[in-house]
Amino acid sequence: MAGTIDREMGLDAVDDLEQLPILGRLHEWVITVDHKRLGLMYITGGLFFFLVAGLQAATIRLQLAVPNSGIVPPQVFNRLLTMHGTAMVFLVGMPILTGLFNYLVPLMIGARDLAFPRLNAFGFWLWFFGALLLYFSYIGGDGLYGAGSAPDVGWFAYAPLTELPFSRGNSTDYWILSILLTTVGSTATAANIVSSVFCMRCEGMTLTKMPVLVWLATVVSFMILVALPPLSAAQVMLLLDRFLGAHFFDTQAGGSAVLWQHFFWIFGHPEVYILVIPAFAFASEIIPVFSRKVIFGYSVMVAASCAIGFISMSVWAHHMFSVGMTPAGNSFFAASSMLVGVPTGIKIFNWLGTMWRGKLRFKVPMLFSIAFLFQFLVAGLTGIMLAVAPFDWQLTDTYFVVAHFHYVLVGAIVFMIFAAIYYWFPKATGRMLSERLGRWHFWLFVIGFHLTFDTEHFAGMQGMPRRIYTYQPGRGLETLNFVASIGALVQGIAVLIFVINVVRSLRSGEPAGDDPWDAWTLEWSTTSPPPEYNFATLPVVRSRRPLWDLKHPDDPDWRYE
Amino acid sequence: MLGRVHRWFFTIVIVATMPVAAFANDWGMGESNSKIPPSSIFDTVSTPAHEIRTLAFFTCSITAVIFLIVAGLLVISLIRDRARQGDNGREPPQVYGSNPIEFAWTTVPVLIVLVLFLTTARTIYSVQAPRRPPGAISVHVIGHQWWWEFHYPELGIVTANELHVPLSDPKNPTPTFLDLESVDVAHSFWVPRLAGKTDVIPNKKNTMWIDPHVAGTYLGQCAEFCGTEHAMMLLRVIVEPRADFDNWVAAQKQPAAVDASVAHGQQIFESTACVNCHAIQGTGANGRFGPDLTHLMARETIGAGVAMNNLDHLRVWVRDPSVMKPGALMPAMNLDDKDLDDLVAYLATLR
């Protein structure tokens, strides 16, 4: 029948590599152009920097645990906050999400690889060396005396603090160059995913039959293509200022400080959605499978994501409500920012509709997805509060904002990254992660997360600004900060358990089989791990859930779509 | 066994907290600041902050209702729809979507956004475009790395880090209008109980206003990351009854006191690098990089709020400011003990 998928894999092609000596195997990874290997390399690299930047966050919380603490001097603290923010966005969020898309998109569209495998490898290595360059600044800089001259200007690098008179030495140059490199890598990957989705889909997979994840990967890739160039342009302009004496942002010579902010947030706001839409994508795959129901309102879900993509391009100046725009300007950006809440709300309702009257199985990926729903709901609502421009005049640049965007970046994105890893780890490695350790990881992480970031909302309302290395006693901030720091410790323990879980499972995890979750998309039709070219014969599909059709020949999906 | 665990636990706690204790230093600020109520954005005493608070309560009520509804539905689903052991093992009914439901949950949020936007726009205009009554005070605020300079152009006063403004009577308002500008990097002026924040940006003139109805001291702080000592760019706004304010103005207009007994200290001040950065009205010192010191001792704090202003702290500060405020742009003056004492004695006369 037409819905059949060929499950005869070219298993003889699987790894003679296991026989190679270690250097030979390493060499195979370095020269690989296979989308699955590159995906795993992105994810592994991202997780490595997640641990590094997480340790930096822990140091920040240690310093802020008590008032007037002197563990970390101010300049070291400023380096920590700069490196933590920069790394988490460019060296953790972007590569892990890129990596997951890299791994999953070809499998889900029934293709053998991405459209441009070597471009893919090129993008990875650009990212890799850009990432090394950022941390090399700790030991590079101005020769021996510049040791430890890591950037200390914040991940947003506001001019004119980044101009030569206020930022001597090369630390800011490291920031500029490493981010330039990593964003070129991301742009290459985005172009690759767009091309693959449009040109490499298997027979029968029309645009309206793609899994939601593939749709969202496409939306994100388009957003990357539009949003990253303004950042690169601004960085080149800043380099011109610093090395050739141009005056774009150099206020001492008549340049504009606000211009940098516009450039940065024209990139920076879509970037938030570039990071969070992948979380939506994972949720849209995981929640249906563990609810045993088809996703509710597929086309509205896709339309809402496209709407988010478009609207997100016109909201950047809500980061600049206090910069002194006209009342009309503030009103416009307040309106467009609130409007994003509508498609976002639609998505939350659709996930809820998917769970409604389903048969929920609370496996670890589902636990993370449920926590994501609650936390993203809170993040969305505090986002609406920040879109109310006058309220924002009080809240911006305080710990309320820190709490809000950590609800997005950790509560939504990191939670969904963990969900995705627990969900697809069996596919990529052939082994299950431990459910028991996974539950420990989940509960400790939820508790730690809320201890840290719930309290920070209130610290912000109590007048605590961001990016301060210390605060004075008697301001009503001691308890809140102490609790937040305890929470960071608990989160750290949770992540440690995750690392143990991964290492243990790689060595001796329970074998997974091809389709451990009883799922419906194409990646579960091939072996775990998939062979080098994914499918021995390319699949043919008739609906959005080809494996559902196989498993339920009496009531296939294509009758309803 | 338990005893050993106990001992280990306490050893670890003590060792872990030692660095905190060793480096901590609050230069008398904790004691003084705890007398100033915390700077909650909901505990407002000034018109623009009140207006923001009203809108904030409205916004919070809407978001709270949305949260309760959505989270409630989620909890219902989690409790009711969990897969139970021993059910028939069949998949639940597959529901692909529903146009009426999805239309509803698109339209209702649009209406909420519309209401919220109209309320927001009204507050934006009323806070950003206020009527300026005839008795209003003008202050020119200049942000520096890492301190605040205040000019009263109509009164001819220059001071730093502590802004004195008169109490504003709702019947006969005397709000204070602030023009904000920076000479170096971007800062942000924020006194939470008086008004929202407004950025202080080089090459850009911003304005804001405060209209305080309750006398007292209010703590504010730079809110835009501005480099090494961003955390220690504090300010105080002292709101006082009109008569007290007028007395303060009269005192500030006086030139610096002259006292023959501290002539040596004055000579040190005028013959060293001090004069490159600091001004003292009525003397030869007219530097502009640092705070005007004419009425230094009238201020409660030094170093933009890093320490209480007293002779011991002044001595530590002048000897080497980086002890109190690492990164401060004022260099250590390398004075010997005698000169340092004389200089501080001179500074102590600047009331």
Side-chain angles (χ1 to χ4, degrees), chain A residues 111-161:
Chain A
R112 293 213 150 105
D113 206 322
L114 285 174
F116 305 105
R118 279 178 293 177
L119 178 67
N120 198 14
F122 175 71
F124 171 80
W125 290 106
L126 271 186
W127 172 80
F128 181 75
F129 286 108
L132 287 190
L133 191 61
L134 186 67
Y135 273 91
F136 180 73
S137 62
Y138 266 113
I139 50 172
D142 313 318
L144 193 60
Y145 296 102
S149 75
D152 61 353
V153 289
W155 88 281
F156 45 93
Y158 271 12
L161 189 62

Side-chain angles (χ1 to χ4, degrees), chain B residues 113-183:
Chain B
V113 161
L114 194 67
V115 171
L116 198 57
F117 168 68
L118 292 175
T119 334
T120 301
R122 197 174 59 186
T123 311
I124 289 177
Y125 278 87
S126 78
V127 173
Q128 273 203 294
R131 196 174 53 86
R132 184 177 177 136
I137 309 279
S138 290
V139 181
H140 188 51
V141 179
I142 303 168
H144 293 259
Q145 278 183 325
W146 292 282
W147 62 281
W148 301 95
E149 183 174 352
F150 300 121
H151 288 254
Y152 295 71
E154 289 140 11
L155 304 174
I157 296 173
V158 182
T159 182
N161 298 326
E162 290 174 12
L163 179 66
H164 286 248
V165 298
L167 193 60
S168 182
D169 182 349
K171 286 186 204 112
N172 184 21
T174 46
T176 303
F177 280 74
L178 308 172
D179 300 314
L180 309 163
E181 209 177 356
S182 165
V183 293

